[in-house]
Amino acid sequence: MANEHQAPQDAATHTAVPAHAPAKDQTAAVKEGIQVAYLVAIVLFVMAIKRLSKVKTALGANRLASLAMLIAVAGAIGVYSLSNPLDWRWIVGGVVAGALVGGIAARVVPMTDMPEMVALLNGSGGSASFLVALAVLGETTGQWSKMPAGATLAEALSMNEALGTGPVVAVTLLLSILIGAVTLTGSLVAYGKLSGRMSGNAIVFGGQHPLNFALGLLTLGAALWLGFGNVAPEHAWYFAGGVTLLALVLGVLLVIPIGGADMPVVISLLNSYSGVAASMTGFVLANNLLIVSGALVGASGLILTKIMCDAMNRSLLNVLMGGFGMTAGAAGGEKTEYKNVKSMSAEDLALMLDGVSSVIFIPGYGLAVAQAQHVTRELADVLTARGCTVRYAIHPVAGRMPGHMNVLLAEANVPYEQLVEMEQINADFKTTDLVIVLGANDVVNPLALTDPQSPLAGMPILHAHEARNVVVVKRSLGAGYAGIKNTLFEYDNCHMLFDDAKRALQTTLQELKAA
Amino acid sequence: MITALTVFVVAIFLGVELINKVPPTLHTPLMSGANAISGITLVGALTCAYKLGDHADPTVANVLGCLAIFAATVNVVGGFLVTDRMLGMFGGKKGGE
């Protein structure tokens, strides 16, 4: 295991020293060998992606992918050291620093912070792509300035033997800058929202969409002008810097109007972008390995994006336009007042748990915030020991990233079989004694079924309200995401336990053990 | 150029077909694992570490390339390691309980 993760380091330090100009035919043979190495890496990546989507094979798949990465990087260093003397300081410096930062972060990050971690990783992938594109542009300026006046960047790029051919090089170079930069700042904003360093609320203002649209057009126009317009090579950096800056700003503006609860979609989409950006870099460098791997990642991100959108019964466009529920909140301000809400204490919950034979937990983002996954599992253990069936109902968009709840509960050693997907468990609520909702809100809101006018209408929910008793552990009645009232709280079979999920369950657990 | 486009389009379809249905348990690891794969840009970043012939001083391309190598390595190493850690938790439980 350890070796694999140090893969890039090993590759950097152990591969052959730059060769002393080997014979031409020998070089060609080695280059072909390296193409074969790339092919092997592609095949391994394809296998790994397939196996990453099955529980049994996923762990092996991840290791397979890291092996493929090692092969690819070793191959790349091999081929580059043949055609050009490499400056090892840059490679070793970058790889060692990157491996340290990435490795330490991966070791110490708590599972509760996984959405933030994934957001930052997406951002680093995106930034790598646009930096490579900028570096290629920088390399090209030398050649470009020697060309007759009036030559475009696209023409200069097509003179570079190391790159692909045709106008596609210029187009994809610009696209890697744009997509990479948008991915970087978009991910940073997502990180800010997830970590609470900035407000998780949607930030909307008048004229936002026209502004974004105009800025998008301006960015594209500037990029095209840089590629194909009448730009002098000595001004190329100003243009490139301008285009990058515009794209960075665009990334921020695109993500700020999207609220915290829509983050699963945003993260999946940025994940897809980071893959597409890598693919674009592959076009620039005429490297099939990059094109294929990037496309695979792009596709997997798209699938997750679609799954997340389906789970909210909303279109991708609707999510991206942001400000979800803002209008509903404004129009239905008076509707967020609750009547007939019954509250209970943790001691009452312990009493209630005393006689039940089936319990379903519904975890949500509040569970993650309260770090209540361990105490939940302890409580479940006590209940199971008393002969009660315990299961967890997992809504696809519970939490702040795809699969967020599964990761948290896995950390607390909750047996995998106890986690049940929405479609499988919905029919069972009717026969369940007690449902405990832990920091979830919209995913159990019956309004989605009953009120066709509600912004939630049509969103598949967990049918918690059908259980004999429901206890909602929540810090306050405060409006959930975007102020949509949760009618579940007014149901006759529903009790509210106003507390932090962790503290409430700890008290319940003590009472239960003492009884 | 058409070949590269073909490869790209076919790879997208291949990816969609390969993954198709993912159990929710694996959504996060799939994302972080796939993300590590997108760090393949590292291969591209290495080209930018060329010592360009007569330039003894670092060029802008060198510096940008080094930054790109750094970012891509964070992506690769961090992504694979954290995925391994997560999947280890899933796996350990299955055997343990």
Side-chain angles (χ1 to χ4, degrees), chain A residues 1 5 53-54 62-63 80 85 87 90 98 106-107 109 121-122 125 271 279 285 297 300 402-403 406 410 414 416 421, chain B residues 7-8 19 23-28 31 34-36 38 43-44 47 49-51 58 70 75 78 80-81 84-85 90 93:
Chain A
M1 207 173 98
H5 302 308
S53 55
K54 306 252 181 333
N62 186 52
R63 294 179 180 174
Y80 300 149
D87 190 333
W90 302 115
R107 279 269 171 256
V109 62
L121 287 174
N122 282 338
N271 191 220
S279 216
L285 301 171
V297 178
S300 89
N406 302 75
V414 171
Y416 169 61
E421 292 173 39
Chain B
V7 169
F8 177 68
I19 299 150
T25 308
L26 289 179
H27 283 169
T28 303
M31 205 162 50
N35 186 253
S38 78
V43 166
T47 52
Y50 281 167
K51 191 186 241 165
F70 169 75
N75 197 194
F80 280 133
L81 262 179
D84 197 75
R85 211 176 121 204
F90 293 151
K93 213 166 38 280

Side-chain angles (χ1 to χ4, degrees), chain A residues 181-504:
Chain A
V182 166
T183 309
L184 172 64
T185 48
S187 300
L188 287 178
V189 173
Y191 168 79
K193 287 186 178 234
L194 290 165
S195 62
R197 278 165 215 269
M198 58 185 284
S199 160
N201 294 335
I203 299 170
V204 287
F205 49 86
Q208 189 165 28
H209 296 313
L211 172 73
N212 286 355
F213 188 70
L215 188 70
L217 277 187
L218 179 66
T219 314
L220 267 183
L224 284 175
W225 183 252
L226 169 63
F228 300 95
N230 184 18
V231 177
E234 57 271 26
H235 297 146
W237 277 120
Y238 300 114
F239 268 83
V243 168
T244 311
L245 201 65
L246 282 173
L248 289 172
V249 172
L250 193 62
V252 174
L253 288 178
L254 286 178
V255 179
I256 54 168
I258 304 175
D262 284 343
M263 281 301 136
V265 178
V266 177
I267 292 204
S268 313
L269 194 66
L270 289 169
N271 191 220
S272 182
Y273 285 177
S274 75
V276 174
S279 216
M280 291 302 125
T281 312
F283 278 99
V284 174
L285 301 171
N287 186 325
N288 279 336
L289 174 63
L290 262 72
I291 296 179
V292 174
S293 322
L296 290 176
V297 178
S300 89
L302 272 185
I303 290 179
L304 283 177
T305 309
K306 183 173 183 310
I307 295 177
M308 294 303 118
C309 285
D310 288 351
M312 297 195 292
N313 190 39
R314 289 165 61 202
S315 71
L316 179 57
L317 188 67
N318 180 296
V319 174
L320 294 185
M321 295 297 269
F324 176 60
M326 281 298 173
T327 46
E334 80 283 359
K335 277 200 282 179
T336 52
E337 277 173 37
Y338 288 89
K339 283 175 280 195
N340 186 31
V341 170
K342 299 174 291 297
S343 81
M344 71 188 303
S345 66
E347 289 79 8
D348 297 335
L349 176 59
L351 281 175
M352 202 183 235
L353 280 170
D354 218 9
V356 297
S357 64
S358 51
V359 170
I360 294 178
F361 287 104
I362 300 183
Y365 183 56
L367 175 100
V369 174
Q371 305 256 12
Q373 66 273 33
H374 297 283
V375 62
T376 306
R377 205 256 312 153
E378 279 178 54
L379 182 60
D381 284 350
V382 171
L383 292 171
T384 314
R386 295 172 166 218
C388 173
T389 15
V390 176
R391 286 183 295 171
Y392 300 79
I394 311 290
H395 192 281
V397 289
R400 290 291 187 264
M401 76 177 161
H404 193 178
M405 294 301 123
N406 302 75
V407 171
L408 278 189
L409 294 171
E411 186 197 17
N413 280 318
V414 171
Y416 169 61
E417 308 79 54
Q418 290 184 358
L419 310 185
V420 190
E421 292 173 39
M422 180 169 61
E423 293 81 18
Q424 271 87 49
I425 205 160
N426 259 347
D428 295 358
F429 280 110
K430 287 192 191 81
T431 55
T432 299
D433 289 337
L434 179 61
V435 167
I436 302 178
V437 180
L438 297 167
N441 193 351
D442 290 341
V443 298
V444 290
N445 193 343
L447 210 59
L449 303 172
T450 54
D451 179 7
Q453 304 304 317
S454 161
L456 290 177
M459 169 170 161
I461 59 154
L462 290 161
H463 294 193
H465 55 282
E466 293 175 355
R468 287 189 195 105
N469 281 295
V470 182
V471 172
V472 178
V473 182
K474 202 172 173 300
R475 272 181 292 192
S476 72
L477 263 186
Y481 178 51
I484 298 162
K485 177 179 173 175
N486 192 337
T487 50
L488 172 68
F489 303 164
E490 293 178 342
Y491 274 53
D492 285 336
N493 58 345
C494 179
H495 285 81
M496 304 297 295
L497 203 175
F498 294 115
D499 204 347
D500 167 89
K502 187 175 182 178
R503 201 166 44 205

